[in-house]
Amino acid sequence: MSIEVLKRAPDELVQAAKRAKQEVQKVPDSMPPRTSDLAAPIMHLTGHAAEVFCCKFGPFGDILASAGFDRQIFIWNVFGECENIACLPGHTGSVSQICFTKDGTHLVSSSTDKTLAMWDLETGVRVRRFKGHQSFVNSCNVSGDPAMICSAGDDGTVRLWDSRRRHCVKTLNNKYQVTAVCFNEKADGIISGGIDNHIKIWDLKHTEVSTEMKGHIDTVTSLSLSPDGNFVLSNSMDNTVRMWDVRPFAPANRCIKAFVGAQHNFEKNLIRCCWSPQGTKIVCGSSDRMVYVWDTASRKLLYKLPGHSGSVNDVDCHPSQPILMTASSDKSIFMGELK
């Protein structure tokens, strides 16, 4: 058996090499351009032993926190391999919501054990435990420096706390259970929502309701103040996300827009929504295992993101990069970059 060696002219070999190089260079062009510093376009974080109810990016975007039914608060690196760098045990009930302080040095958590806790993130130690609620604490929010904390519970109260003190500073009594709470822009008022379907703005100076906004026809599960402080976003079990004008002299009809698509089901989880850092997008979790992203101005649905195998309970947007984080009943967290 003979082998025939085929010879080519040198210029033909050069042309073939150029063609091969061009083909190799064209391959990356078919991939979508990266928009963030994540190690991969989608990162999947696992480690929780039960449903994850809440997640939050740190104010500088370098770390994130997650918590849920397993009573543990996990701290993770956002970039690189997304290592789990700390675990904060201490609550004896599921953790319902978490918030970072403005300077990023502490974390505040609310729990079904009827307490709130403040954690030192440098040492991983609980430095404050706030007692006062007589039932489950459903929500918490932080504002200012030194940090002021507001909380809402199934005992029908909205409470104001000073992070430097152990006891409650003010108690605002509501007739029904309160499921969501946040500060207004100046932190001189608290916005709350609950099973009475109404959103109330409490005047802290006079300890009374200054404005009551009606429109939802089922329990309000989430409240989120816009980056400019002029609007508040609410999610409800009536399967609508609404945008409200909370400026002092706004018209009587404060409901500006309604966004439809996100779902609630028999689980009755407190599914949360949030704004993008510039306020141009609105994001909401959903019981149908999807994440919904709308354009704020046009109300157009931009993304309906799959991936989770359980209800998506909480969402958050990175403070400086187009990264979306989601927490789910499937015990995991996703981070993904958007265009």
Side-chain angles (χ1 to χ4, degrees):
M1 183 178 177
S2 62
I3 299 174
E4 184 179 356
V5 179
L6 298 177
K7 295 183 179 180
R8 294 185 180 182
D11 59 339
E12 190 178 351
L13 292 173
V14 170
Q15 290 175 1
K18 285 183 178 179
R19 283 198 302 270
K21 186 176 181 181
Q22 288 172 355
E23 289 175 1
V24 171
Q25 289 175 344
K26 288 179 181 178
V27 172
D29 295 339
S30 63
M31 301 293 290
R34 294 294 306 278
T35 59
S36 77
D37 294 329
L38 288 176
I42 298 174
M43 300 296 288
H44 190 204
L45 281 60
T46 58
H48 280 283
E51 295 95 329
V52 186
F53 292 144
C54 47
C55 61
K56 198 74 176 175
F57 282 113
F60 307 112
D62 56 339
I63 60 172
L64 67 91
S66 62
F69 194 71
D70 61 3
R71 302 173 291 180
Q72 309 280 348
I73 302 172
F74 286 176
I75 309 297
W76 314 74
N77 282 326
V78 171
F79 303 111
E81 296 297 319
C82 298
E83 300 90 353
N84 179 208
I85 56 175
C87 177
L88 311 178
H91 280 297
T92 58
S94 62
V95 181
S96 55
Q97 193 164 13
I98 48 179
C99 297
F100 285 89
T101 55
K102 187 177 180 181
D103 59 8
T105 59
H106 292 80
L107 182 78
V108 175
S109 58
S110 59
S111 172
T112 59
D113 62 10
K114 308 178 187 179
T115 70
L116 294 97
M118 175 173 270
W119 310 82
D120 186 326
L121 292 177
E122 186 175 351
T123 61
V125 174
R126 184 176 63 192
V127 294
R128 284 279 188 278
R129 190 181 185 196
F130 303 101
K131 294 182 179 180
H133 281 284
Q134 303 302 308
S135 188
F136 297 166
V137 188
N138 297 313
S139 180
C140 64
N141 193 230
V142 177
S143 180
D145 186 21
M148 298 298 291
I149 304 163
C150 63
S151 61
D154 276 356
D155 57 3
T157 65
V158 174
R159 295 176 184 261
L160 179 68
W161 312 81
D162 187 331
S163 61
R164 298 165 296 182
R165 302 180 183 179
R166 187 182 297 272
H167 301 290
C168 176
V169 176
K170 283 189 179 180
T171 301
L172 309 172
N173 292 301
N174 195 63
K175 189 176 180 181
Y176 302 101
Q177 292 99 313
V178 189
T179 51
V181 71
C182 71
F183 281 105
N184 65 359
E185 183 186 18
K186 296 180 180 178
D188 59 358
I190 295 175
I191 307 168
S192 71
I195 68 167
D196 60 0
N197 314 337
H198 302 162
I199 297 170
K200 299 171 183 176
I201 304 176
W202 299 82
D203 184 337
L204 290 177
K205 184 177 180 181
H206 300 98
T207 320
E208 62 183 13
V209 176
S210 60
T211 306
E212 188 168 359
M213 300 180 289
K214 300 178 181 179
H216 284 300
I217 56 174
D218 208 338
T219 301
V220 178
T221 63
S222 172
L223 292 171
S224 178
L225 190 69
S226 64
D228 61 9
N230 292 331
F231 306 97
V232 71
L233 197 64
S234 63
N235 187 24
S236 169
M237 291 184 185
D238 63 9
N239 297 333
T240 65
V241 177
R242 293 176 183 262
M243 179 178 169
W244 308 82
D245 191 335
V246 292
R247 290 173 291 187
F249 303 103
N253 183 16
R254 289 175 175 261
C255 184
I256 306 292
K257 296 174 182 176
F259 304 84
V260 181
Q263 302 293 309
H264 289 257
N265 64 7
F266 64 93
E267 292 177 334
K268 302 294 183 184
N269 287 349
L270 298 180
I271 296 175
R272 297 197 170 90
C273 54
C274 74
W275 303 80
S276 66
Q278 294 78 29
T280 56
K281 295 183 182 68
I282 284 169
V283 186
C284 189
S286 178
S287 64
D288 63 1
R289 302 174 293 179
M290 298 290 181
V291 181
Y292 291 78
V293 183
W294 296 274
D295 178 75
T296 306
S298 66
R299 293 183 292 178
K300 179 183 177 182
L301 182 64
L302 301 176
Y303 303 100
K304 185 179 177 182
L305 304 172
H308 282 293
S309 58
S311 172
V312 181
N313 300 316
D314 200 2
V315 292
D316 194 27
C317 292
H318 193 275
S320 59
Q321 296 193 27
I323 301 171
L324 176 61
M325 173 169 58
T326 60
S328 171
S329 293
D330 64 9
K331 310 177 188 178
S332 72
I333 301 142
F334 273 114
M335 282 195 297
E337 60 185 28
L338 300 176
K339 291 183 180 178

